[in-house]
Amino acid sequence: MNFNVLLAEDDEDIVKLLKLYLENEGFDVKWAKDGVEACEIFDKEKINLALVDIMMPKMDGYEFTRTLRETNNNLPVLMVS
């Protein structure tokens, strides 16, 4: 079974580092540059964990998490800031 991690982060250096560590541990990483893109990915993919930056363009991490919780109360969300 693949374990999918949604990484919502706008800083590409942080993304490269987190993707490297997560993929080396066998996780599939889906990357979104902002909260709007994260919502789109979440609607299309089965996500098991979300790593979310607070400060993102278009939709910040707090708003993304509130939107996510409207349809999914069980998904673990870790704020990365």
Side-chain angles (χ1 to χ4, degrees):
M1 179 176 102
N2 289 352
F3 196 86
N4 293 318
V5 176
L6 173 58
L7 177 56
E9 170 65 64
D10 60 329
D11 185 322
E12 291 190 34
D13 291 331
I14 293 172
V15 169
K16 287 177 187 175
L17 183 63
L18 288 174
K19 276 189 73 162
L20 175 69
Y21 285 118
L22 291 166
E23 289 174 347
N24 281 341
E25 293 299 323
F27 298 106
D28 290 329
V29 178
K30 314 298 182 196
W31 173 39
K33 297 177 185 174
D34 57 60
V36 173
E37 190 175 334
C39 286
E40 292 169 0
I41 291 171
F42 185 77
D43 288 341
K44 295 176 185 173
E45 303 280 343
K46 181 184 182 322
I47 301 298
N48 303 101
L49 170 68
L51 299 176
V52 181
D53 183 22
I54 294 172
M55 301 292 291
M56 293 185 291
K58 297 184 185 177
M59 178 189 290
D60 67 25
Y62 294 125
E63 184 62 30
F64 167 71
T65 303
R66 279 190 288 274
T67 301
L68 178 70
R69 290 293 179 234
E70 291 174 4
T71 59
N72 189 317
N73 287 322
N74 296 321
L75 181 74
V77 176
L78 297 175
M79 293 296 191
V80 180
S81 186

